[in-house]
């Protein structure tokens, strides 16, 4: 009887141990990090940083495995309705590669930019979300087409916003000024090895807020050295731009507050333009009485809140 009970006990231990191992394995599997397809932030890269489709004869991972194409990725849904689409020249080499190399690994980045003339923060955020969803839907349609074609290639899709000032220069929007969302093209990365597609600049330089008297948008002479220093810095760092945010205290109507904060930001922008900084590198944000750094119930607090903040990026 004791031997039987011992066997039963050992059996229970084995089963419970197996269950525990299974649960542990399940936990490990479920803890796998899910990566988003959206690359956050505006990427400061130049088109010339990557090989273009004009510079290669065939895809190869030996030399350069990052390529740029001006293909408009929003054409994917219309093109992939056909089982055998007539791919345009800008993307045909990729399709040929995927068909010939059935197990190729590839990451395709859809690149977009927003029109810099749109300065309203809420409108820009709405366009930003619209561009991301539009790109996501287009890339999903391409993935569905690949599945129907039984293509076994391991393809990852990413969506990234690029800063036009760096990717195609300050004149990029001159010919496309009417478009709120610009479909810049696609970056193609071949291979499964982890690679930092976008160059990063971690150096920072901070500038103090420019203060204003209440109900006034005049830049006091004592702040001119700060503007001189800022313009010199931008001239020496041509991959950087500046965001100028206008603020006020909470005295007055909403329309007055918004108008005054916009006027203050514009005065700083004008000062930079006079110092030779291209308008395309300057972004205006109207904050009004948001984010106070002082107590609006006191005179000293209101003085602190009447300001323009400077963010170089």
């Amino acid at each position: 009887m004791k031997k039987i009970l011992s066997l039963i006990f050992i059996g229970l231990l084995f089963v419970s141990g197996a269950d525990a191992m299974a649960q542990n394995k399940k936990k490990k599997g479920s803890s796998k990090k899910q990566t988003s397809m959206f690359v956050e932030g505006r990427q400061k890269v130049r088109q010339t940083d990557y090989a273009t489709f004009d510079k290669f004869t065939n895809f190869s991972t030996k030399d350069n495995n990052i390529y740029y194409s001006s293909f408009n990725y929003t054409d994917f849904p219309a093109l992939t309705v056909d089982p055998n689409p007539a791919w345009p020249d800008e993307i045909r080499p990729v399709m040929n590669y995927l068909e010939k190399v059935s197990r190729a690994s590839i990451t395709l980045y859809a690149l977009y930019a927003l029109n810099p003339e749109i300065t309203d923060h809420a409108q820009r955020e709405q366009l930003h979300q619209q561009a991301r969803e539009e790109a996501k839907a287009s890339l999903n349609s391409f993935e569905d087409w690949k599945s129907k074609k039984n293509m076994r290639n391991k393809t990852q899709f990413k969506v990234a916003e690029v800063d036009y000032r760096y990717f195609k220069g300050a004149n990029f929007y001159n010919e496309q000024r009417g478009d709120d969302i610009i479909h810049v093209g696609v970056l193609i990365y071949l291979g499964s090895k982890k690679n930092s597609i976008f160059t990063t600049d971690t150096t920072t330089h901070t500038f103090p807020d420019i203060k204003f008297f209440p109900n006034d948008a005049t830049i006091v002479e004592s702040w001119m050295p700060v503007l001189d220093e800022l313009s010199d810095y931008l001239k020496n760092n041509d991959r950087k731009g500046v965001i100028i945010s206008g603020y006020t205290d909470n005295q007055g109507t909403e329309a007055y507050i918004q108008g005054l904060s916009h006027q203050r930001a514009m005065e700083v922008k004008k000062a930079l333009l006079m110092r030779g900084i291209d308008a395309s590198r300057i972004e205006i944000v109207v904050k009004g009485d948001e984010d106070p750094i002082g107590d609006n119930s006191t005179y000293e607090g209101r003085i602190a809140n009447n300001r323009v903040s400077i963010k170089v990026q």
Side-chain angles (χ1 to χ4, degrees):
M1 186 66 179
K2 287 183 179 180
K3 186 178 288 186
I4 294 172
L5 289 173
S6 297
L7 289 172
I8 293 173
F9 180 69
I10 292 170
L12 288 172
L13 283 177
F14 177 79
V15 171
S16 61
D19 286 343
M21 288 176 66
Q23 290 293 327
N24 193 37
K25 190 174 182 181
K26 187 177 180 181
K27 284 181 181 178
K28 286 184 179 179
S30 62
S31 64
K32 187 177 180 180
K33 186 178 180 182
Q34 298 294 319
T35 57
S36 171
M37 72 185 301
F38 301 113
V39 180
E40 300 301 336
R42 283 184 293 183
Q43 307 306 314
K44 299 178 181 179
V45 294
R46 296 187 189 278
Q47 182 179 345
T48 52
D49 288 340
Y50 306 105
T52 68
F53 277 30
D54 300 327
K55 293 182 180 178
F56 72 88
T57 54
N58 61 347
F59 279 108
S60 171
T61 58
K62 292 180 181 179
D63 301 316
N64 190 342
N65 56 353
I66 304 174
Y67 299 92
Y68 165 70
S69 168
S70 59
F71 173 72
N72 187 341
Y73 52 84
T74 60
D75 290 340
F76 273 136
L79 286 168
T80 53
V81 170
D82 190 335
N84 299 293
W87 297 107
D89 293 340
E90 295 85 356
I91 199 69
R92 186 181 297 119
V94 180
M95 300 301 109
N96 292 340
Y97 177 76
L98 292 177
E99 290 181 2
K100 291 177 182 177
V101 187
S102 62
R103 293 189 179 275
S105 295
I106 183 173
T107 304
L108 190 149
Y109 290 77
L111 307 179
Y112 71 91
L114 299 184
N115 192 324
E117 290 194 339
I118 301 173
T119 57
D120 182 78
H121 178 72
Q123 185 180 3
R124 288 185 68 84
E125 184 60 28
Q126 183 179 7
L127 289 170
H128 173 67
Q129 295 299 328
Q130 179 184 333
R132 285 163 58 124
E133 293 306 314
E134 177 184 62
K136 180 180 178 181
S138 297
L139 295 176
N140 284 341
S141 69
F142 178 44
E143 179 64 18
D144 291 342
W145 175 81
K146 279 181 66 244
S147 298
K148 292 175 184 176
K149 295 279 289 185
N150 294 318
M151 298 177 73
R152 293 176 293 175
N153 311 84
K154 183 180 179 182
T155 309
Q156 293 187 36
F157 298 105
K158 300 287 184 180
V159 181
E161 179 186 5
V162 297
D163 195 317
Y164 72 99
R165 294 174 298 208
Y166 309 96
F167 199 81
K168 290 206 171 184
N171 296 324
F172 176 50
Y173 281 83
N174 288 351
E175 299 176 2
Q176 308 180 65
R177 202 170 287 273
D179 296 328
D180 293 342
I181 299 173
I182 305 296
H183 306 117
V184 179
V186 294
L187 278 183
I188 295 98
Y189 169 62
L190 300 175
S192 56
K193 182 180 178 181
K194 289 186 178 181
N195 190 297
S196 179
I197 295 290
F198 300 107
T199 56
T200 56
D201 184 357
T202 57
T203 59
T204 58
H205 194 94
T206 58
F207 294 88
D209 293 345
I210 295 177
K211 303 293 186 179
F212 292 83
F213 287 113
N215 306 312
D216 196 349
T218 304
I219 302 175
V220 178
E221 187 67 27
S222 60
W223 291 108
M224 294 304 172
V226 174
L227 294 173
D228 292 336
E229 183 184 354
L230 173 59
S231 61
D232 289 342
Y233 181 80
L234 292 172
K235 289 174 183 176
N236 293 328
N237 296 271
D238 65 346
R239 283 182 182 252
K240 292 185 180 292
V242 61
I243 299 176
I244 300 171
S245 302
Y247 293 88
T248 68
D249 55 37
N250 65 351
Q251 304 299 298
T253 64
E254 182 65 22
Y256 176 76
I257 287 172
Q258 293 293 311
L260 182 58
S261 60
H262 179 263
Q263 188 179 354
R264 286 171 172 168
M266 284 301 299
E267 288 301 313
V268 175
K269 180 178 180 178
K270 290 176 185 176
L272 292 176
L273 293 175
M274 291 177 62
R275 287 164 171 77
I277 304 303
D278 194 288
S280 65
R281 300 176 66 191
I282 307 170
E283 182 177 335
I284 295 293
V285 178
V286 178
K287 287 289 192 176
D289 59 353
E290 297 178 24
D291 309 321
I293 59 175
D295 186 352
N296 276 314
S297 65
T298 66
Y299 179 78
E300 292 78 11
R302 290 194 294 274
I303 288 291
N305 293 331
N306 286 285
R307 69 198 192 278
V308 162
S309 70
I310 299 167
K311 182 181 180 182
V312 175
Q313 63 173 30

